Amino acid sequence: MHHVSPASRREEEEVRAAAAGGAAAGGAPGCRHVRPSDPGAASLGLAGVRMPPPADIVKVAIEWPGAYPKLMEIDQKKPLSAIIKEVCDGWSLANHEYFALQHADSSNFYITEKNRNEIKNGTILRLTTSPAQNAQQLHERIQSSSMDAKLEALKDLASLSRDVTFAQEFINLDGISLLTQMVESGTERYQKLQKIMKPCFGDMLSFTLTAFVELMDHGIVSWDTFSVAFIKKIASFVNKSAMDISILQRSLAILESMVLNSHDLYQKVAQEITIGQLIPHLQGTDQEIQTYTIAVINALFLKAPDERRQVGVESSVDILDCPLTEMANILAQKQLRSIILTHVIRAQRAINNEMAHQLYVLQVLTFNLLEDRMMTKMDPQDQAQRDIIFELRRIAFDAESEPNNSSGSMEKRKSMYTRDYKKLGFINHVNPAMDFTQTPPGMLALDNMLYFAKHHQDAYIRIVLENSSREDKHECPFGRSSIELTKMLCEILKVGELPSETCNDFHPMFFTHDRSFEEFFCICIQLLNKTWKEMRATSEDFNKVMQVVKEQVMRALTTKPSSLDQFKCKLQNLSYTEILKIRQSERMNQEDFQSRPILELKEKIQPEILELIKQQRLNRLVEGTCFRKLNSRRRQDKFWYCRLSPNHKVLHYGDLEESPQGEVPHDSLQDKLPVADIKAVVTGKDCPHMKEKGALKQNKEVLELAFSILYDSNCQLNFIAPDKHEYCIWTDGLNALLGKDMMSELTRNDLDTLLSMEIKLRLLDLENIQIPDAPPPIPKEPSNYDFVYDCN
C-alpha cells in the first residue's frame, strides 16, 4: 500500500478543499471559469457566464505518493487504459499496464470499465498498483517463510478482498485454495509456535479467515467445492472452548454461509456441530458471538428437511449431543430456550439490531413448526383424531359411560354425544370432526383445544359449563371460537411465512415458555370468553367479537410484554369498555368534524398543512438516513448514508464502515446526484433491484420497503428503507422534490392529525356552541333604504 508522505498532506488538503469548493460552486474541481476580465471573454459574449462542462468530462484530483496531486479532466469516452497511461506519463512512470486508479476514500475500490460511470466531479482518485499485480504480489507474500511478512501480507489481503476487482484477480490465481490449505495444514504447522507466539498465530488465522469470508462474499466461487477436512477444521475452531474471539466470529460466519449456500455442506456441517458445542458461546458475555451462534442455529434450522424438523418434543435423545439435523425442534425445548432467555434476552445490556433480527428469525422459524399441523385437515375416519374430540368431551362433562362402554343403546349414546358436542360449541353437532377440515387452522386448532383442556383444566371446564348452561342465546361457542382464534393467532404471528430480511420484531414473552404458542392461545381463549360476556354477544355478533379480540391482542403485543403473565395483565387493562373508549377517541376526528362548514374550513387550510408536511419531509431528507446494503450474508453487510443538501439541489451519498451515531457531514459522502437529473422514483416490484434474481424479491417485507431513483439513461440509485416510517419519509420527500403529490400512508395520517389539531384550535372560541350545517338564510331586501345615511 502506498501512503502520502507527511510533507504533502497539507497540499493534499488544499486539493480536497479546492475540489469541494468547485463542486459547491456548481462546477468541477480544477475547472477554470471564464471571467469578464479574461481576454476574449467580451468578444465571445461570455461575460459573467459559466459554461456547463461536457457531459462526458469529469474533473477529478489524482494522487501519487510523494507528488503533488494532479487536477485532471477524464473523458469517459476514452478507454480507461489510455487515461491511466496519460496519468503515468505525467509522472514519468513506465509500464502503465501495471497501474490502476482507485478511490482515495476508505473503500479503496478500484476503478474499472464497469464502474467508471460512478465517478463524479470532485472525486479524489489514487494511482496505485493494478489489481493483477497486487494479487500476484500478495499471493507470493502470504507464502513467505517470515512470520512477520506473512502476517502483514494477510492483513493487506483481508483489507483488499472487499474489492470485487481485486478478489477476481486473486481467485484467478487459485487464491481460495491456497487459503483453505493454510487453514487445513498451516494450523498444525504452527502448533508448536502457538505457545510462544500465540498473539501472532491468532492474528494470522484471523486475517486468513477474514480474507476468506470477504472473497467468498462476492459469489465468484461456489461453496460446494470445499473439502470435509476444511469443514472439520472450521468446526474445530467453534468447538474449542478457549478460542480467539475474532477467529470464532469468522468461523461461525463461514459455517452459516456454508449451510445457507449449499445443501451438501449443510449435511456435513450439521454432522460436525451439536447444540452442546454451541451452548457455551450463548452463555458468554460477547453479544456479537452470541449473535453469530444464533445465526448458525437459524441457518441449520432453515435448511433442515421438513421431516427432520418435526422431531417429537418428548424425544429421549440427549439434546446436548444430538446433531442439529435430528433436533431442529430442540429450539422449542427448555434448555436452549432458557439459555437464550437468561444470557441473551434478560442479560444486563441492550439488545442491538442484529441480535434482535436473529431472535426474530428464531421466533419465526419456531412458530413455522406449527405450519404442518395448521395445514393438515382432520380425517373424520381417523379413530386417533376422533379420540381427541372424545377426550375434550370427557374432560368437560366427566361422562359416566366411556366411549367404548357398550352399556346403553347406540341411539341413546349418539344423542348424548350430539347434545354434548353442541354444548362444546361445535358447528357440526353430529360429526364435529368436520369442523377441522378447513385449513388453516386445520388440526392445530384441535391441538390447542386439547392442550387447554389438559393444562388449564379448571378454566376449560368453567368456560364450557358456563356457556352450555345458558338459555339466553348469549352462550360463547367454545369449539367455533377456538378454531377461529387459532386461525387469527396464526395470521398475527405469520405462521408459515419466511422471515423478513429487515425485521427486528421479536417478542421476549415467546421465549419464556416451552409451549409458548399453546399458552398464548390459552390466554387469548379466556380473553375471548371474557370479551363475549362484556359485549353481551350472540352468535350473530361472532365476527364483531373476533375483531375486538384481535384489536386487544394486537394492542397488547405492541407493548412488547416481557412474559406471558405481563401479557395477561395488559389484556386485563384492555377490556371491551377500554377498547370502546380508544375507538371513540380515535373516531372523534372523523365524526365531530363532518358538518359542511367544518369541511369547507378543512379544504381551506389543507394546502398549508400539506406544505408543512412537505417541509418536514425535506428537513428529514436533509438530516439523512443510514441504509443497509443487503446480501446473502446479512450480518456482514455494509452501511451507506444518503442525505439532501440544505439547498435541496443535490443528494449526497456514500458508503460507511459502520452504522453512524447522528448525522453524517456532506463532505464525508463521496457521491452526488443532482435533483435535476432525477427522472422518476419507483417503488416495490418496479424497482430494478427487486427484479433481479435472488431471495430478496421473494420477501414481501423487503418488497414493501424498496424504492429506487432513476436518473440518466440506465442509471439508478437503489434503496431498502430500514422501516416503513423511513420508507414513507423518503418516498414523500423525493416526490415533493419532483413536484408530485405525497401519497404515503404516513402523509395521510399526518394530514388527518394536523388538520384535526388545527381545526380544534380554531374552534376553541366556539366551544359548546352548535355549528349549523348550513349558513343562515339571507334576509329579504327592505322595502326602502331611507335608513341609509349618505356621507356625501
Side-chain angles (χ1 to χ4, degrees):
M1 297 292 290
H2 298 292
H3 299 282
V4 179
S5 63
S8 64
R9 289 205 179 275
R10 181 176 56 80
E11 297 170 342
E12 180 184 346
E13 289 171 3
E14 292 173 0
V15 171
R16 290 180 186 272
C31 282
R32 179 175 175 271
H33 299 295
V34 180
R35 300 183 181 180
S37 58
D38 289 343
S43 62
L44 291 172
L46 298 177
V49 178
R50 292 180 176 180
M51 298 298 291
D56 295 318
I57 301 296
V58 288
K59 301 196 175 186
V60 299
I62 301 179
E63 300 174 344
W64 173 251
Y68 188 79
K70 289 179 176 292
L71 298 178
M72 286 191 62
E73 291 184 350
I74 291 181
D75 187 348
Q76 293 286 36
K77 291 181 179 179
K78 289 175 66 175
L80 191 58
S81 57
I83 295 170
I84 293 172
K85 184 178 186 305
E86 184 181 339
V87 174
C88 291
D89 291 345
W91 275 309
S92 302
L93 299 172
N95 302 320
H96 71 276
E97 62 273 13
Y98 294 154
F99 292 91
L101 293 173
Q102 66 179 180
H103 288 280
D105 56 27
S106 58
S107 69
N108 292 329
F109 286 169
Y110 282 99
I111 304 298
T112 64
E113 291 290 354
K114 288 184 179 179
N115 64 20
R116 62 183 296 178
N117 288 330
E118 297 175 8
I119 302 174
K120 308 295 181 185
N121 281 321
T123 302
I124 299 179
L125 306 177
R126 181 188 299 121
L127 184 67
T128 187
T129 313
S130 70
Q133 282 290 106
N134 229 341
Q136 183 65 49
Q137 291 170 8
L138 279 173
H139 194 273
E140 295 169 1
R141 287 169 57 201
I142 62 175
Q143 301 179 71
S144 170
S145 57
S146 166
M147 292 285 283
D148 289 339
K150 184 190 286 281
L151 180 62
E152 193 63 30
L154 287 168
K155 184 178 180 180
D156 290 344
L157 179 63
S159 174
L160 284 168
S161 295
R162 292 178 302 160
D163 187 321
V164 66
T165 310
F166 169 84
Q168 184 68 70
E169 295 292 345
F170 188 77
I171 290 170
N172 290 344
L173 297 172
D174 210 14
I176 294 283
S177 297
L178 177 60
L179 292 179
T180 54
Q181 288 169 18
M182 290 174 65
V183 172
E184 289 176 25
S185 60
T187 48
E188 279 84 6
R189 182 181 172 188
Y190 295 114
Q191 285 297 321
K192 295 178 181 178
L193 297 172
Q194 187 175 0
K195 291 183 180 178
I196 58 174
M197 304 182 67
K198 188 170 183 180
C200 180
F201 171 79
D203 289 345
M204 188 178 297
L205 184 56
S206 174
F207 288 134
T208 304
L209 295 177
T210 301
F212 176 83
V213 169
E214 296 289 356
L215 290 168
M216 291 303 297
D217 266 357
H218 297 297
I220 300 169
V221 178
S222 170
W223 283 92
D224 289 312
T225 58
F226 298 107
S227 66
V228 175
F230 179 70
I231 297 169
K232 286 180 178 291
K233 182 60 64 177
I234 297 297
S236 72
F237 299 147
V238 174
N239 295 338
K240 286 180 182 176
S241 56
M243 179 54 67
D244 183 82
I245 292 294
S246 60
I247 296 173
L248 184 57
Q249 282 180 358
R250 273 71 171 180
S251 299
L252 288 166
I254 291 169
L255 291 177
E256 182 197 2
S257 291
M258 284 179 171
V259 172
L260 292 175
N261 291 286
S262 168
H263 177 69
D264 291 339
L265 289 186
Y266 151 73
Q267 294 178 324
K268 293 171 184 175
V269 170
Q271 291 170 1
E272 298 296 327
I273 300 295
T274 67
I275 288 285
Q277 292 156 343
L278 292 174
I279 279 179
H281 303 316
L282 292 173
Q283 293 173 319
T285 56
D286 190 302
Q287 188 172 114
E288 196 166 358
I289 293 296
Q290 292 175 325
T291 305
Y292 278 80
T293 303
I294 296 177
V296 172
I297 294 173
N298 286 340
L300 285 160
F301 190 24
L302 190 61
K303 294 297 179 180
D306 290 341
E307 66 274 10
R308 296 192 174 185
R309 294 183 190 176
Q310 299 294 342
V311 177
V313 175
E314 305 300 329
S315 173
S316 60
V317 181
D318 184 354
I319 65 170
L320 292 180
D321 297 324
C322 187
L324 277 169
T325 49
E326 299 298 331
M327 289 301 295
N329 201 27
I330 199 66
L331 296 172
Q333 293 197 11
K334 184 176 182 180
Q335 190 159 4
L336 182 61
R337 176 195 58 75
S338 62
I339 286 170
I340 291 174
L341 180 66
T342 304
H343 296 278
V344 178
I345 297 175
R346 292 182 176 172
Q348 298 300 313
R349 60 175 178 269
I351 293 177
N352 61 35
N353 286 340
E354 190 51 47
M355 174 60 85
H357 173 73
Q358 293 301 338
L359 290 171
Y360 153 78
V361 172
L362 183 58
Q363 173 185 293
V364 171
L365 294 177
T366 304
F367 285 139
N368 280 357
L369 289 173
L370 305 169
E371 183 182 11
D372 183 56
R373 294 294 283 174
M374 181 182 77
M375 301 308 294
T376 300
K377 294 181 179 181
M378 185 170 184
D379 181 2
Q381 306 305 318
D382 189 319
Q383 187 59 42
Q385 294 179 1
R386 291 169 63 87
D387 285 346
I388 298 175
I389 298 177
F390 286 140
E391 182 68 6
L392 289 173
R393 174 190 163 277
R394 186 195 66 78
I395 294 172
F397 303 112
D398 195 22
E400 294 180 4
S401 59
E402 294 300 323
N404 296 325
N405 194 333
S406 58
S407 63
S409 68
M410 183 67 69
E411 291 298 324
K412 199 171 184 180
R413 276 191 294 153
K414 281 186 177 180
S415 174
M416 180 178 64
Y417 289 161
T418 300
R419 184 193 68 226
D420 289 348
Y421 292 147
K422 183 178 181 181
K423 290 180 180 180
L424 278 170
F426 290 113
I427 297 174
N428 192 317
H429 307 150
V430 178
N431 186 6
M434 299 304 295
D435 287 13
F436 300 95
T437 55
Q438 180 188 358
T439 58
M443 287 296 293
L444 184 60
L446 189 57
D447 295 342
N448 284 339
M449 293 167 72
L450 183 63
Y451 181 90
F452 181 50
K454 283 188 170 183
H455 294 84
H456 300 270
Q457 198 170 104
D458 291 344
Y460 167 70
I461 293 172
R462 187 187 73 249
I463 288 176
V464 173
L465 296 183
E466 192 178 80
N467 287 288
S468 63
S469 60
R470 298 186 70 135
E471 298 294 338
D472 55 1
K473 296 184 180 181
H474 289 289
E475 68 276 2
C476 177
F478 173 74
R480 182 185 177 191
S481 299
S482 298
I483 293 168
E484 289 301 318
L485 179 64
T486 301
K487 182 179 179 182
M488 185 184 80
L489 297 183
C490 288
E491 290 172 357
I492 291 174
L493 298 177
K494 299 181 179 178
V495 175
E497 293 186 19
L498 285 175
S500 163
E501 296 282 349
T502 57
C503 186
N504 302 332
D505 188 25
F506 82 98
H507 294 276
M509 74 176 191
F510 291 129
F511 291 85
T512 63
H513 200 282
D514 302 337
R515 304 286 291 274
S516 58
F517 183 80
E518 289 87 343
E519 288 293 325
F520 186 43
F521 167 84
C522 293
I523 293 171
C524 293
I525 191 66
Q526 294 177 72
L527 167 73
L528 192 153
N529 189 64
K530 173 174 169 283
T531 302
W532 185 284
K533 288 190 290 185
E534 290 174 348
M535 293 178 67
R536 292 193 54 78
T538 64
S539 58
E540 295 176 355
D541 302 317
F542 187 86
N543 291 333
K544 292 180 182 178
V545 176
M546 293 305 296
Q547 289 172 2
V548 173
V549 170
K550 184 173 184 178
E551 186 172 347
Q552 290 170 315
V553 172
M554 294 291 286
R555 288 185 183 276
L557 284 177
T558 55
T559 64
K560 292 293 180 70
S562 59
S563 67
L564 290 164
D565 286 338
Q566 198 176 89
F567 174 67
K568 198 184 296 185
C569 291
K570 298 284 184 185
L571 291 177
Q572 290 291 337
N573 297 329
L574 284 170
S575 63
Y576 176 58
T577 305
E578 186 62 28
I579 291 293
L580 284 180
K581 288 179 182 177
I582 294 171
R583 287 181 173 180
Q584 184 67 24
S585 64
E586 290 176 351
R587 276 199 298 263
M588 278 181 62
N589 297 338
Q590 301 168 0
E591 292 180 353
D592 293 353
F593 303 119
Q594 295 303 315
S595 63
R596 183 180 165 189
I598 301 298
L599 292 176
E600 289 179 356
L601 180 59
K602 273 187 178 181
E603 289 180 14
K604 183 178 179 181
I605 63 177
Q606 183 166 315
E608 63 182 86
I609 298 294
L610 282 172
E611 183 61 28
L612 184 65
I613 295 172
K614 174 184 172 182
Q615 291 305 317
Q616 187 271 339
R617 300 293 192 264
L618 294 176
N619 289 340
R620 280 286 291 106
L621 264 61
V622 170
E623 291 175 15
T625 301
C626 179
F627 297 93
R628 185 186 288 273
K629 290 184 176 180
L630 291 177
N631 57 30
S632 60
R633 291 185 62 257
R634 182 185 190 274
R635 201 170 47 273
Q636 290 296 318
D637 297 336
K638 303 298 185 290
F639 298 91
W640 68 289
Y641 200 88
C642 187
R643 62 180 299 181
L644 181 66
S645 62
N647 63 3
H648 301 173
K649 296 283 181 72
V650 178
L651 283 172
H652 298 264
Y653 62 96
D655 293 341
L656 301 174
E657 289 299 318
E658 56 185 4
S659 183
Q661 301 297 323
E663 291 185 22
V664 176
H666 292 99
D667 52 9
S668 65
L669 302 174
Q670 306 85 18
D671 300 309
K672 301 173 187 175
L673 172 60
V675 172
D677 291 350
I678 298 176
K679 300 289 189 293
V681 176
V682 293
T683 61
K685 293 180 180 179
D686 296 327
C687 297
H689 58 315
M690 291 294 106
K691 294 177 181 177
E692 297 170 0
K693 291 184 178 180
L696 287 182
K697 72 171 185 177
Q698 306 296 335
N699 195 295
K700 182 181 175 184
E701 284 83 358
V702 172
L703 207 60
E704 292 175 349
L705 298 175
F707 62 99
S708 298
I709 296 175
L710 308 182
Y711 63 98
D712 292 344
S713 53
N714 291 314
C715 298
Q716 68 267 341
L717 191 59
N718 297 323
F719 299 76
I720 295 179
D723 52 52
K724 193 67 177 176
H725 183 266
E726 288 295 324
Y727 170 85
C728 293
I729 290 287
W730 275 84
T731 51
D732 282 345
L734 292 170
N735 281 325
L737 284 173
L738 299 178
K740 297 181 179 179
D741 292 336
M742 299 179 292
M743 305 296 292
S744 76
E745 182 181 348
L746 183 63
T747 292
R748 290 195 297 272
N749 292 339
D750 287 351
L751 181 61
D752 289 343
T753 302
L754 293 172
L755 270 175
S756 173
M757 290 173 60
E758 182 66 20
I759 288 174
K760 285 179 180 177
L761 286 172
R762 295 194 181 198
L763 297 181
L764 277 177
D765 293 338
L766 297 178
E767 192 172 359
N768 298 323
I769 296 177
Q770 184 68 34
I771 301 174
D773 290 335
I778 299 174
K780 294 179 180 179
E781 288 190 23
S783 58
N784 62 70
Y785 291 88
D786 295 342
F787 57 87
V788 176
Y789 179 74
D790 189 355
C791 295
N792 297 325

